[in-house]
Structures are given as structure tokens and as C-alpha cells.
Amino acid sequence: MPPKERRLYVGNLPYDIREKDIEDLFHKYGKIVDLKLKIPRGGNPFCFLEFESPKDAEDALRRRNNYVVGGSKIRVEYPTGMLRNGPRGRGGRPMGGGSGGGRRGGAAFSRSEFRVRVTGLPPSGSWQDLKDHMREAGEVCYANVSKDGTGIVEYVRYDDMKYAIKKLDDSRFRSHEGEVAYIRVKRDEESRSRSRSRSRSFSPRRSRASPDYGGGKRSPKSSRSRSRSRESRH
């Protein structure tokens, strides 16, 4: 059974982290009822946060441990003394490494139609910076940045794409060189059009394959019944 603990320790945070950034990082897993950020001298900031539900805390630990934020791989675990063998996932199994997005079943995802277009990126914003930022919304399988300050991000799931449009539009983006900009996130219209045209092209194919629609050959059974009716008239 997983521990009934609602509090988490989050360490190795970047030096410029704010409480608002931590809330943005964790709020999708459940309601946060308490958050205390500590900034020690000569060390990385850390914080303690408490969720309303133990399951929310468990989900946040599982998805955010080893997640990269602002170039720092953060450490998420239960407070010292809660578990003897370190952070654990569902069923009490030890947790391995991996980012909040990561892979499913150990295999990398390919390209996706769940695509958003990002505009307003600073000149030093790289595709790695963009991917890290957009993973706030879910599992990213592809990211690319153009010289004109636009980017393309593809998500594994449709719901993650929808959440990115809602949550990350007009969000604060920070590049690896420290440049800050507020970006816009919209559904990529090209991928939406492709998806619509593909769904329209599938419909006629299903109609032709169905023997119940008109225009096809007569079934042997109907031919035999008409034959018998002609014979009875004779």
C-alpha cells in the first residue's frame, strides 16, 4: 500500500524559482493546501508542499521526480523518515528515473497530430527549452524552433494538447540563457485540417465496404426468393 502522506519535499530547484512557478509545476495533480519555499545561502532552493489528497501527492511524485526545470533536474520525494528506501511509486515499488513526460512501455513515441504552434519565443530559445516548458502540460513527443521565434510542439495525447492551449498560452518562458518572454500557444491549423480531411476520406471507404448500403450486387438469397416467386406465378 502507498503511504498515506500528503507532503512532498522538492529539492535541487533552480536559483530563480518562485512559489508561483512551483504551483504551476504541480497544480495539475491536485489541490495544493500549503507550500513553503526555502532559499539557503550557497545552495539550491528547496520546498515542502502539501496536497489535499495522498493520491495527488503520490501522482505528483511519480510524474515530477527527475523532471528538468530551468536546467536543473529536480528531486521529488516524501519528507525524510517517511520511507526508508527513498521515493516509491504505486504499489510501493521503487521509482526509477525519467522525466515528467517520458516514455510509455520503454518505447519512444513518433510524430503526432496533436500539435500546437508557439509564437513569441526569445532569440536564444532552443527546442530543448521549448520542450521543457511545454512538458508542463503533458507528454511531448516532438519540438522544433524556427529562427523567426515560432515553434512547433506535438503531444502524445489529445488531452495534453488541449491542456497546453488552456494553461500555457500567455505563459512566462525562460530560455537557457536567461531571456524571458511571454509566449502564445494555439492549435496548429495545418494539423487540424489534415485530421479533418483524413476523417472525411475514411467515411466513403466504410460505406463501400458495407454490404447493407445500396448500389451493390444482389445477394444470392434475394435472387433465389425472386426466382421462386416467378416460378409460383407460372
Side-chain angles (χ1 to χ4, degrees):
M1 293 288 292
K4 303 297 183 182
E5 174 60 33
R6 300 181 303 166
R7 295 176 70 242
L8 293 175
Y9 165 84
V10 185
N12 201 38
L13 292 163
Y15 290 103
D16 60 347
I17 196 77
R18 302 172 304 170
E19 286 190 2
K20 178 65 168 60
D21 300 325
I22 299 171
E23 289 174 358
D24 290 344
L25 188 64
F26 285 95
H27 84 97
K28 68 180 290 186
Y29 302 108
K31 184 178 179 182
I32 298 172
V33 297
D34 188 40
L35 194 160
K36 291 183 174 63
L37 176 62
K38 308 290 185 181
I39 306 178
R41 291 184 180 180
N44 284 80
F46 63 92
C47 80
F48 293 94
L49 67 156
E50 182 177 346
F51 285 90
E52 193 172 52
S53 157
K55 183 181 182 304
D56 295 340
E58 183 189 2
D59 288 342
L61 184 153
R62 184 168 52 90
R63 297 301 300 274
R64 287 306 191 217
N65 186 41
N66 289 330
Y67 191 80
V68 177
V69 179
S72 299
K73 184 181 286 189
I74 65 173
R75 190 170 77 256
V76 183
E77 57 191 38
Y78 291 108
T80 304
M82 293 308 301
L83 290 175
R84 293 181 180 179
N85 297 321
R88 292 182 178 268
R90 294 187 183 277
R93 292 185 295 272
M95 291 181 60
S99 65
R103 303 178 177 190
R104 182 185 302 163
F109 288 103
S110 57
R111 299 289 299 272
S112 163
E113 291 182 357
F114 308 137
R115 181 183 305 168
V116 296
R117 182 173 294 274
V118 181
T119 56
L121 293 165
S124 62
S126 67
W127 68 267
Q128 294 98 327
D129 297 330
L130 181 60
K131 184 174 182 180
D132 287 343
H133 184 82
M134 301 303 287
R135 282 193 302 189
E136 289 285 326
E139 220 161 351
V140 174
C141 59
Y142 175 81
N144 192 30
V145 171
S146 302
K147 292 181 180 179
D148 61 358
T150 63
I152 292 292
V153 176
E154 296 175 5
Y155 286 94
V156 172
R157 289 177 289 272
Y158 175 74
D159 287 345
D160 292 344
M161 178 194 71
K162 282 180 62 179
Y163 188 81
I165 295 169
K166 177 182 177 181
K167 175 64 182 174
L168 298 178
D169 184 38
D170 203 26
S171 62
R172 182 178 182 270
F173 175 91
R174 181 185 176 90
S175 76
H176 64 285
E177 293 185 8
E179 284 189 285
V180 174
Y182 284 85
I183 59 173
R184 303 309 306 265
V185 180
K186 304 293 181 186
R187 176 80 187 267
D188 182 57
E189 292 300 327
E190 184 180 341
S191 66
R192 189 197 296 236
S193 302
R194 255 200 317 270
S195 178
R196 284 175 179 169
S197 65
R198 185 174 288 111
S199 66
R200 283 196 298 267
S201 70
F202 285 163
S203 309
R205 204 172 302 156
R206 286 196 297 269
S207 299
R208 287 194 297 269
S210 172
D212 299 324
Y213 295 108
K217 293 182 179 180
R218 294 174 181 170
S219 71
K221 183 177 180 182
S222 61
S223 299
R224 282 196 301 272
S225 64
R226 275 191 284 273
S227 231
R228 288 197 194 99
S229 121
R230 282 197 297 271
E231 287 171 3
S232 66
R233 284 198 295 271
H234 291 302

